[in-house]
């Protein structure tokens, strides 16, 4: 039977100037039907994500991580593995492609960010699957960074110009062992995929990092200068960085963040950035079985605190590479 998918609306969906996110409702559609549908329309779906930022599929009976893996593979996007990433988050692999979104405790907020924008290596696309919606709360906030860039041009153009001119640097403290109680608790051994200090230093040096070993056994690593603004292939500028998450959620943000020339980021401007982003945010209130495709260049995401059990899985796609 052919998949039956129709475009629909959800509460809070944005329409200024275009729809965000794009939402499809499936009716009488199996996972096999959906995969067959993706074989025909995956290029269109990825193009919609690139234009609008996010595409949500609701009503496909995705029951487990294996079915989600099958759906991700149907997009024919090269896998970006958790192991090869420099993600700060503690995650648990379910399959070769699929892992938990973050093992941080329910009360922890994960603030808006572009996935791994605080590193030189980041994915191009994010695939989410809600294995179990939380009993209460637990939405995934989504914010389009092209819209945020335009708003910042109006509200704080000098700060935005400094971001474009100087770029940014991030200093992140990685513990000696994984700390699942923190949204940034991945150990330096796991983050860098090494088992010794010498190997860690070799990898950091190759990527242009500065570093300092801490008495705790942890590692303080500072990135090379990274862009805070990027241009999309269609010419749109996007506020592509990790500034909100680092400013709101990292330890000692004054030490963690600086412009590329070493000067501090003004707190007053960062408050404007955070407030504007929140005003532009759509909260994706998950339903069990939902699948979402996020273009990481266009949309920031995060996680609201929740009560009860919430399981959201993720798979990452490499930048502009086919499988």
């Amino acid at each position: 039977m052919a998949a039956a998918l129709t475009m629909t609306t959800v509460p809070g969906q944005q329409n200024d100037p275009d729809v965000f996110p794009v939402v499809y409702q499936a009716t009488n559609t199996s996972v096999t039907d959906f995969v067959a549908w993706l074989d025909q329309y995956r290029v269109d779906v990825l193009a919609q994500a690139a234009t609008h930022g996010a595409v949500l599929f609701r009503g496909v009976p995705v029951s487990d991580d294996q079915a989600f893996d099958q759906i991700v593979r149907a997009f024919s996007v090269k896998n970006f593995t958790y192991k090869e990433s420099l993600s700060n988050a503690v995650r648990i692999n379910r399959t070769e492609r699929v892992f938990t979104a973050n093992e941080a405790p329910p009360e922890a907020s994960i603030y808006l960010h572009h996935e791994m924008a605080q590193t030189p290596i980041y994915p191009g696309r994010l695939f989410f699957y809600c294995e179990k919606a939380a009993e209460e709360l637990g939405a995934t906030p989504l914010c389009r960074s092209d819209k945020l860039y335009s708003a910042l041009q109006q509200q704080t153009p000098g700060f935005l110009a400094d971001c474009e001119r100087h770029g940014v640097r991030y200093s992140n403290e990685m513990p000696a062992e994984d700390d699942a109680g923190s949204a940034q608790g991945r150990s330096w051994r796991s983050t860098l995929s090494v088992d010794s200090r010498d190997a860690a230093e070799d990898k950091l040096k190759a990527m242009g990092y500065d570093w300092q070993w801490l008495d705790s056994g942890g590692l303080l690593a500072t990135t090379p200068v990274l862009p805070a603004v990027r241009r999309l292939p269609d010419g749109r500028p996007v506020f592509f960085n990790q500034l909100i998450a680092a400013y709101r959620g990292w330890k000692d943000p004054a030490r963690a963040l600086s412009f590329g020339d070493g000067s501090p980021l003004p707190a007053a401007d960062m408050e404007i950035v955070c407030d504007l982003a929140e005003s532009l945010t759509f909260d994706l209130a998950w339903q069990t079985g939902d699948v979402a495709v996020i273009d990481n260049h266009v949309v920031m995401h995060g996680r609201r605190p929740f009560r009860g059990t919430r399981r959201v899985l993720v798979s990452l796609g490499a930048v502009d590479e086919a499988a």
Side-chain angles (χ1 to χ4, degrees):
M1 181 176 66
L5 289 123
T6 55
M7 293 185 68
T8 188
T9 60
V10 292
Q13 191 175 22
Q14 300 175 6
N15 290 281
D16 183 20
D18 52 14
V19 64
F20 171 67
V22 175
V23 181
Y24 286 92
Q25 177 68 46
T27 306
N28 297 323
T29 298
S30 68
V31 170
T32 301
D33 295 333
F34 185 43
V35 168
W37 186 88
L38 287 173
D39 285 341
Q40 184 175 358
Y41 294 110
R42 63 173 176 264
V43 173
D44 298 319
V45 172
L46 293 175
Q48 286 180 321
T51 298
H52 299 270
V55 180
L56 171 66
F57 293 96
R58 181 156 282 174
V60 179
V62 188
S63 59
D64 56 26
D65 47 29
Q66 298 294 327
F68 177 51
D69 186 294
Q70 186 180 1
I71 289 168
V72 172
R73 290 176 186 274
F75 279 97
S76 295
V77 174
K78 183 178 179 182
N79 189 24
F80 185 104
T81 68
Y82 175 53
K83 182 177 181 180
E84 72 183 292
S85 77
L86 299 175
S87 170
N88 303 130
V90 177
R91 294 165 165 168
I92 299 172
N93 268 93
R94 294 283 199 87
T95 74
E96 180 187 10
R97 287 179 173 265
V98 174
F99 42 88
T100 57
N102 198 305
E103 291 299 300
E107 64 273 12
S109 292
I110 300 175
Y111 297 99
L112 289 168
H113 62 284
H114 287 279
E115 187 71 11
M116 302 179 208
Q118 82 283 14
T119 80
I121 308 167
Y122 58 87
R125 300 179 182 96
L126 318 177
F127 301 92
F128 286 103
Y129 159 54
C130 181
E131 188 175 50
K132 185 183 185 307
E135 280 77 5
E136 296 182 69
L137 309 174
T140 290
L142 303 175
C143 177
R144 278 181 53 166
S145 287
D146 54 346
K147 292 185 177 182
L148 179 56
Y149 180 95
S150 297
L152 291 172
Q153 275 190 316
Q154 300 297 318
Q155 295 290 324
T156 179
F159 174 75
L160 186 60
D162 285 340
C163 285
E164 292 196 72
R165 182 181 307 113
H166 300 300
V168 291
R169 300 186 78 188
Y170 306 87
S171 294
N172 177 48
E173 183 176 329
M174 293 176 269
E177 304 294 337
D178 283 350
D179 177 11
S182 168
Q184 295 87 35
R186 193 181 183 191
S187 71
W188 59 263
R189 290 180 177 85
S190 177
T191 301
L192 300 174
S193 298
V194 297
D195 56 11
S196 70
R197 289 192 175 197
D198 287 344
E201 292 180 2
D202 288 344
K203 189 161 188 177
L204 291 169
K205 183 177 181 180
M207 293 188 295
Y209 278 68
D210 297 325
W211 65 88
Q212 175 186 347
W213 292 104
L214 305 175
D215 292 341
S216 63
L219 173 65
L220 179 66
T222 301
T223 68
V225 178
L226 299 175
V229 172
R230 291 185 180 273
R231 301 268 169 181
L232 301 178
D234 62 11
R236 282 180 293 167
V238 289
F239 195 62
F240 182 91
N241 52 62
Q242 190 93 186
L243 293 182
I244 295 173
Y247 179 75
R248 286 287 194 225
W250 290 15
K251 297 177 182 177
D252 193 2
R255 182 183 68 167
L257 295 172
S258 72
F259 286 118
D261 63 359
S263 58
L265 277 66
D269 289 316
M270 282 303 305
E271 291 294 335
I272 292 172
V273 171
C274 295
D275 290 345
L276 282 175
E278 188 65 27
S279 73
L280 294 169
T281 290
F282 165 80
D283 268 7
L284 173 50
W286 292 107
Q287 294 183 12
T288 298
D290 283 352
V291 172
V293 183
I294 311 294
D295 191 298
N296 191 40
H297 291 97
V298 183
V299 168
M300 291 187 287
H301 70 283
R303 191 195 75 182
R304 305 292 192 194
F306 62 93
R307 288 188 284 273
T309 300
R310 175 190 188 271
R311 293 194 302 272
V312 173
L313 307 184
V314 66
S315 181
L316 306 180
V319 175
D320 297 329
E321 292 187 47

